[in-house]
Amino acid sequence: MRGRLIVVSGPSGAGKSTLIRAALAAVPELAYSVSATTRKPRAGEVDGKDYIFLTREEFERWIEEGRFLEWAEYSGNLYGTPERRVEEFLESGRSVILEIELQGARQVKKRRPDAVMVFVRAPTLEETRKRLTGRATEDSEAVERRMTTALKEVEARKEFDYEVVNAEREQASQDMIDLMRKIVKGGKDAG
Ligand code: 5GP
């Protein structure tokens, strides 16, 4: 059986990565799609594992070569999902998580209507700001830019099949794990 394509999206600062990490550790049928980006690596990020770090020229070449399932510009950088790895995982029966922002999520939904759409958000906007500020790898201007985007993005939750509210980390991780198990095991109708 083919795996399922799972899109996890939601405002920056909602804690998507933490919840996805928990799900990947707990659900062996899941694989993670490593995105390509033109953003500079943050401290500790590993090329090929966290992202495939490309120059803008390289990224644009990949676009021309049709290598992306979706791509988008976000906060001044390009991000995209290389399609081939995703296809290989799905073919082999693994389900694949894409952790992507909203414009990309919408593209995937259009191109792959059977994708399962999962929205992750913080319980309040105050909490979102705290998390974005706490990251401290970005200057205040970048935080403000992301905050403005995050405000708009919360509106989008209605376009999704499922929502995980990240209020308390342990609980939200468990919610995400339960949801992923259900999607992976549920066949076509789970989404
Ligand atoms: P960050 O720079 O904080 O790692 O990511 C910024 C945003 O880009 C996050 O919302 C993240 O989910 C999103 N993102 C990461 N990879 C991709 C991708 O391949 N495509 C799209 N459209 N967004 C991505």
Side-chain angles (χ1 to χ4, degrees), residues 9 12 50 62 65-66 84 95 112 157 177 181 188:
S9 193
S12 182
D50 297 289
W62 283 35
E65 290 168 358
R84 198 174 58 195
S95 291
R112 308 280 183 107
R157 51 199 262 223
I177 290 167
R181 286 204 174 113
K188 186 92 180 93

Side-chain angles (χ1 to χ4, degrees), residues 16 35 39 42 51 70 79-81 99-101 104 146:
K16 286 171 294 200
S35 295
R39 171 168 75 58
R42 294 191 185 120
Y51 281 105
E70 61 72 37
Y79 296 84
T81 304
E99 190 216 312
I100 61 180
E101 53 69 65
R146 277 166 185 261

Side-chain angles (χ1 to χ4, degrees), residues 152-169:
K152 277 192 234 144
E153 287 183 343
V154 179
E155 288 300 308
R157 51 199 262 223
K158 301 173 197 80
E159 300 166 36
F160 286 73
D161 300 311
Y162 297 100
E163 181 175 63
V164 176
V165 179
N166 188 5
E168 194 275 312
R169 193 171 67 178

Side-chain angles (χ1 to χ4, degrees), residues 8-13 16-17 32-37 39-40 42 45 50-51 59 68 70-75 77-82 98-105 107 132 135 138 146 153:
V8 179
S9 193
S12 182
K16 286 171 294 200
S17 324
Y32 180 72
S33 161
V34 178
S35 295
T37 185
R39 171 168 75 58
K40 295 275 166 295
R42 294 191 185 120
E45 283 185 333
D50 297 289
Y51 281 105
F59 197 103
F68 291 117
E70 61 72 37
W71 66 271
E73 178 139 23
Y74 180 92
S75 271
N77 294 300
L78 300 171
Y79 296 84
T81 304
L98 312 185
E99 190 216 312
I100 61 180
E101 53 69 65
L102 194 57
Q103 307 165 66
Q107 291 176 51
L132 285 177
R135 197 176 268 167
E138 264 138 76
R146 277 166 185 261
E153 287 183 343

Side-chain angles (χ1 to χ4, degrees), residues 117-187:
M117 308 295 293
V118 179
F119 194 80
V120 176
R121 67 173 174 94
T124 62
L125 283 170
E126 225 6 81
E127 187 60 32
T128 301
R129 177 185 294 278
K130 227 163 72 187
R131 289 177 196 179
L132 285 177
T133 314
R135 197 176 268 167
T137 52
E138 264 138 76
D139 56 36
S140 59
E141 216 174 284
V143 171
E144 280 314 311
R145 251 200 330 266
R146 277 166 185 261
M147 193 63 203
T148 307
T149 308
L151 274 168
K152 277 192 234 144
E153 287 183 343
V154 179
E155 288 300 308
R157 51 199 262 223
K158 301 173 197 80
E159 300 166 36
F160 286 73
D161 300 311
Y162 297 100
E163 181 175 63
V164 176
V165 179
N166 188 5
E168 194 275 312
R169 193 171 67 178
E170 285 296 310
Q171 182 58 53
S173 296
Q174 194 54 53
D175 291 348
M176 183 65 108
I177 290 167
D178 293 345
L179 177 58
M180 290 302 145
R181 286 204 174 113
K182 177 171 126 173
I183 292 169
V184 163
K185 304 240 149 75

Side-chain angles (χ1 to χ4, degrees), residues 61-117:
R61 187 157 2 104
W62 283 35
I63 294 173
E64 275 168 34
E65 290 168 358
R67 289 217 222 177
F68 291 117
L69 171 58
E70 61 72 37
W71 66 271
E73 178 139 23
Y74 180 92
S75 271
N77 294 300
L78 300 171
Y79 296 84
T81 304
E83 186 156 29
R84 198 174 58 195
R85 279 301 292 294
V86 171
E87 265 316 304
E88 285 167 0
F89 280 132
L90 294 176
E91 284 291 327
S92 75
R94 305 267 300 276
S95 291
V96 184
I97 295 188
L98 312 185
E99 190 216 312
I100 61 180
E101 53 69 65
L102 194 57
Q103 307 165 66
R106 287 177 175 140
Q107 291 176 51
V108 174
K109 193 177 171 178
K110 207 180 274 171
R111 286 189 60 183
R112 308 280 183 107
D114 61 341
V116 186
M117 308 295 293

